[in-house]
Amino acid sequence: MQENALENEYENEYENEFLAGSEQIVRADDVELWAESFGDPDHPPVLLVMGAQAQGIQWNDGIVRRLVDGGRRVIRYDHRDTGRSSTVDFTAHPYTVADMASDALAVLDAFGAAQAHLVGASLGGLITQRLAVTHAPRVLTLTSLSSQPLGTDTAAAVQRALEGGSPLPGQLPLPTPELLAALTTALPEPAAGLEEYLAARLPLWRVLHGRVLPFDEREYRAMERRVYERARDLMAGLHHTLAGAVGSGSAAELASVTAPTLVLHGTEDPMFPPAHAEATAAAIPGARLVMIEGMGHTLPRALDDRLAAEILHHTSRAQVGSGHSESPTRS
């Protein structure tokens, strides 16, 4: 009883900290996208692009606040099939990473941002890489966070691993066995109530978080509770797995990227082990690789300061060093 009271007190405190941005519903082809912006419209825009099945509000308010305090205008949004954005009949209207990249451009257009600093996490990293290839004039800088190079078929790799296979020759490392096991039990029933939903999701977050940094279950409960309450259809985000398998392009195309690029990655990422970050940085001319000790495949509040500082530093640099001779930064 006392534990539940403490948990509710924590979640109420967390919710009281929610930032209120300038909200907008953005029309992109046949879908509507929920988006919001923070900060002075005259400041340089930073577009935050979340990963597969993730809502825009999963960019922590702490990161947003620090970026705004650092002189940036911050924009975040819900992908199609997540949060308050449209859900899609994927069978009748399949879409690709290229379509999701077009969604990101529509968000920038709606907020009057001709150019922006792009920050993409996981699948969001592929989306922002795609834009850096196809719409270079609109990309001031690129930050690929906890992601992998264009052209990587994550769905096929995961399926191969689940079937007991090994990486194919030249293929990047597969997700860890512990994560694969968690993924098979992380889907709640479509009609699950809040507690059933949390019970299914929290073990997955524990594995994604990694074993090094302290895991605060209450933080993830509060985040998932907010996700649950905002979602039109919690299962619709699974379409991102299908979209991510096609239409992203190829790693070879990253050689054409001209935007100053930062590759941020956790040393304990169970979804995309560090070799994915190394491959991304190697494929993009002049990219700078920063490995964050202990970070997994999540954005815990304990890292808000560090992640925001890296993004602010990168987006304030006029240039990054050319070539790939620079050793990865690990801290």
Side-chain angles (χ1 to χ4, degrees):
M1 193 75 164
Q2 183 179 6
E3 182 179 347
N4 288 338
L6 290 173
E7 183 178 280
N8 290 336
E9 180 181 344
Y10 179 89
E11 292 184 2
N12 288 338
E13 177 186 351
Y14 189 95
E15 290 173 359
N16 288 338
E17 295 179 359
F18 288 167
L19 290 180
S22 175
E23 297 186 25
Q24 191 167 336
I25 299 299
V26 177
R27 187 78 182 178
D29 294 327
D30 295 327
V31 300
E32 292 183 339
L33 306 169
W34 174 90
E36 64 178 346
S37 68
F38 306 85
D40 189 329
D42 292 329
H43 287 172
V46 175
L47 180 68
L48 302 177
V49 185
M50 244 305 151
Q53 304 173 43
Q55 299 181 13
I57 52 93
Q58 289 175 263
W59 287 103
N60 294 346
D61 288 354
I63 292 177
V64 172
R65 186 181 294 109
R66 287 161 177 78
L67 294 178
V68 170
D69 290 346
R72 306 294 184 270
R73 180 193 190 192
V74 179
I75 303 168
R76 63 185 180 183
Y77 68 101
D78 290 340
H79 292 297
R80 58 176 72 190
D81 277 330
T82 67
R84 295 175 180 169
S85 292
S86 295
T87 56
V88 178
D89 181 343
F90 195 86
T91 301
H93 304 286
Y95 56 86
T96 67
V97 169
D99 295 315
M100 297 179 78
S102 295
D103 290 348
L105 290 177
V107 171
L108 290 180
D109 290 343
F111 285 95
Q115 295 179 303
H117 301 282
L118 304 186
V119 182
S122 197
L123 176 61
L126 296 182
I127 292 169
T128 53
Q129 289 172 39
R130 180 72 187 167
L131 290 173
V133 169
T134 61
H135 291 77
R138 302 201 64 172
V139 183
L140 295 172
T141 65
L142 169 64
T143 299
S144 182
L145 170 62
S146 301
S147 193
Q148 55 187 166
L150 280 181
T152 308
D153 191 342
T154 302
V158 169
Q159 186 60 39
R160 182 174 179 79
L162 288 171
E163 294 170 354
S166 301
L168 299 172
Q171 188 179 48
L172 291 167
L174 301 175
T176 65
E178 185 181 16
L179 176 57
L180 291 171
L183 286 170
T184 62
T185 59
L187 294 179
E189 294 296 325
L194 175 60
E195 289 305 320
E196 294 174 282
Y197 173 78
L198 292 174
R201 297 293 294 172
L202 288 172
L204 174 62
W205 283 113
R206 187 177 292 276
V207 176
L208 287 170
H209 179 87
R211 299 179 178 180
V212 175
L213 299 177
F215 179 78
D216 187 341
E217 180 174 316
R218 297 172 303 171
E219 174 185 341
Y220 288 94
R221 279 185 62 90
M223 179 266 286
E224 279 286 16
R225 179 177 177 177
R226 190 179 182 191
V227 166
Y228 179 90
E229 291 172 347
R230 294 180 78 253
R232 292 185 178 184
D233 181 348
L234 288 163
M235 299 296 106
L238 294 173
H239 297 152
H240 293 174
T241 302
L242 302 174
V246 293
S248 68
S250 68
E253 292 179 273
L254 293 174
S256 69
V257 172
T258 56
T261 299
L262 170 65
V263 178
L264 274 176
H265 211 87
T267 60
E268 306 301 315
D269 193 323
M271 175 64 79
F272 304 137
H276 290 253
E278 294 163 2
T280 304
I284 300 175
R288 186 167 62 96
L289 173 60
V290 175
M291 299 299 299
I292 300 180
E293 288 290 343
M295 187 174 88
H297 197 71
T298 68
L299 305 178
R301 297 174 75 191
L303 291 177
D304 284 355
D305 278 336
R306 176 64 193 282
L307 294 173
E310 292 288 354
I311 295 168
L312 285 171
H313 175 65
H314 179 60
T315 56
S316 67
R317 299 176 71 186
Q319 296 179 345
V320 294
S322 60
H324 298 288
S325 60
E326 185 178 3
S327 298
T329 301
R330 301 171 70 94
S331 58

